[in-house]
Amino acid sequence: MQENREFFRFTDETLQSSLIKAISDSDVVIEVLDDGTVAYPPAHSIENFIDDIVCSVFNKGWYRTEISNQKLLGRYKRLKKHNGTRVIEEIRNGKTYVVQKTYEKIYRNAGIPTHGSFILADVDLDPAQVTALLRITPTFACKKDEPFLRPYSKRRKDAPIRLSHTGWWEVCSLPHVESNDIMIHLEWLTNLLGTLTLELKQFSQNLNTDDCRVLQISIVEPSRYSGISLPSSMLTKLVNLTDRIDISFWPDDFI
């Protein structure tokens, strides 16, 4: 009967080699199996060596998550590759864990977290006029028939570029705010635009669209059953600022 041992391996060969070297330079006794897995008695914990390796990659904070669903693991790894961010995968006694930066606890859908966007859209809208009026640099702007490439959308990088059917001016709470709490995003937007409600209303009256002032609220939640509650003070601010509010709920697919 095999003695009671624990097993650990980074799937990244470079990290695993660094781990083995660090342990070899100490007095901890381990066995390295043919596939590079480290086998050791439970009494000889190697957790501090593992953490040192992880800290060398994520030196500003990180956390571990166990993933038992291989389909979910594959989706996570594809998303990380798509975003160009590092994946650390660990195999511990037959169970798979991933390590990620602490900030990634922010819920995301296709890499995009909770946010709010204020948009002015109309066929005749000239975004340069809006920028001059508000003296605010937009997150994204385009004229009618120009490429529509919003930076915080789930458009695939290989998708055909479409032309905008309206003029568009938008300011988004990303990347200025990073929070799962939509109220913090809305506070940022209303603080930015709250003193300009009269200018925005007068400007929109000269356009063709009845609801050209649109607030898009995008909320990413870890649960399929979601909802929001907005206090009357915030509702008053939004009513004065917008003609229409669109609210979307996205499922968290970021582990």
Side-chain angles (χ1 to χ4, degrees), residues 103-123:
Y103 84 85
E104 289 179 347
K105 287 183 179 178
I106 296 293
Y107 306 132
R108 285 174 166 79
N109 181 283
I112 303 173
T114 291
H115 63 280
S117 294
F118 176 82
I119 298 162
L120 283 169
D122 184 80
V123 172

Side-chain angles (χ1 to χ4, degrees), residues 193-206:
L193 299 167
T195 60
L196 301 167
T197 53
L198 182 60
E199 290 89 335
L200 285 168
K201 186 173 182 179
Q202 291 176 340
F203 184 86
S204 64
Q205 288 174 345
N206 296 322

Side-chain angles (χ1 to χ4, degrees), residues 9-18 35-36:
R9 177 166 56 88
F10 287 112
T11 57
D12 184 285
E13 297 298 335
T14 300
L15 296 183
Q16 186 66 6
S17 295
S18 298
D35 65 351

Side-chain angles (χ1 to χ4, degrees), residues 217-240:
I217 298 175
S218 301
I219 301 172
V220 184
E221 292 280 4
S223 169
R224 59 182 292 187
Y225 304 106
S226 303
I228 62 171
S229 177
L230 300 178
S232 60
S233 57
M234 175 56 69
L235 290 174
T236 299
K237 293 178 183 179
L238 299 181
V239 167
N240 290 332

Side-chain angles (χ1 to χ4, degrees), residues 48-214:
N48 57 320
F49 299 104
I50 296 170
D51 289 352
D52 286 344
I53 298 299
V54 174
C55 284
S56 70
V57 179
F58 297 142
N59 59 3
K60 294 184 178 179
W62 47 270
Y63 71 105
R64 286 187 178 90
T65 304
E66 179 185 355
I67 306 178
S68 57
N69 186 315
Q70 291 300 307
K71 184 176 180 180
L72 182 61
L73 175 62
R75 184 169 61 181
Y76 169 81
K77 292 165 70 174
R78 289 193 298 272
L79 176 61
K80 295 284 281 183
K81 182 178 180 180
H82 174 76
N83 291 340
T85 50
R86 185 73 179 268
V87 174
I88 291 185
E89 184 180 347
E90 301 175 351
I91 309 298
R92 294 167 174 260
N93 300 319
K95 296 182 179 180
T96 301
Y97 297 79
V98 293
V99 183
Q100 52 196 354
K101 294 181 181 179
T102 297
Y103 84 85
E104 289 179 347
K105 287 183 179 178
I106 296 293
Y107 306 132
R108 285 174 166 79
N109 181 283
I112 303 173
T114 291
H115 63 280
S117 294
F118 176 82
I119 298 162
L120 283 169
D122 184 80
V123 172
D124 295 331
L125 185 139
D126 182 351
Q129 291 182 357
V130 181
T131 301
L133 173 67
L134 303 182
R135 298 181 296 279
I136 296 173
T137 301
T139 306
F140 171 73
C142 70
K143 292 182 179 180
K144 181 178 180 295
D145 295 327
E146 290 183 342
F148 190 72
L149 297 169
R150 297 175 73 191
Y152 303 112
S153 71
K154 291 189 285 185
R155 174 187 173 275
R156 299 195 325 270
K157 291 183 178 179
D158 59 346
I161 296 175
R162 71 178 180 89
L163 302 182
S164 180
H165 62 276
T166 67
W168 189 280
W169 187 95
E170 174 182 355
V171 62
C172 180
S173 61
L174 297 178
H176 308 283
V177 179
E178 190 173 69
S179 173
N180 292 321
D181 186 351
I182 190 59
M183 276 294 295
I184 298 177
H185 293 266
L186 296 180
E187 288 288 358
W188 184 86
L189 283 170
T190 54
N191 287 340
L192 179 69
L193 299 167
T195 60
L196 301 167
T197 53
L198 182 60
E199 290 89 335
L200 285 168
K201 186 173 182 179
Q202 291 176 340
F203 184 86
S204 64
Q205 288 174 345
N206 296 322
L207 300 175
N208 299 308
T209 308
D210 291 336
D211 56 353
C212 66
R213 300 177 301 163
V214 179

Side-chain angles (χ1 to χ4, degrees), residues 7-11 13 16 20 31-39 91:
F7 302 87
F8 179 90
R9 177 166 56 88
F10 287 112
T11 57
E13 297 298 335
Q16 186 66 6
I20 293 171
E31 179 186 354
V32 180
L33 305 184
D34 291 342
D35 65 351
T37 296
V38 171
I91 309 298

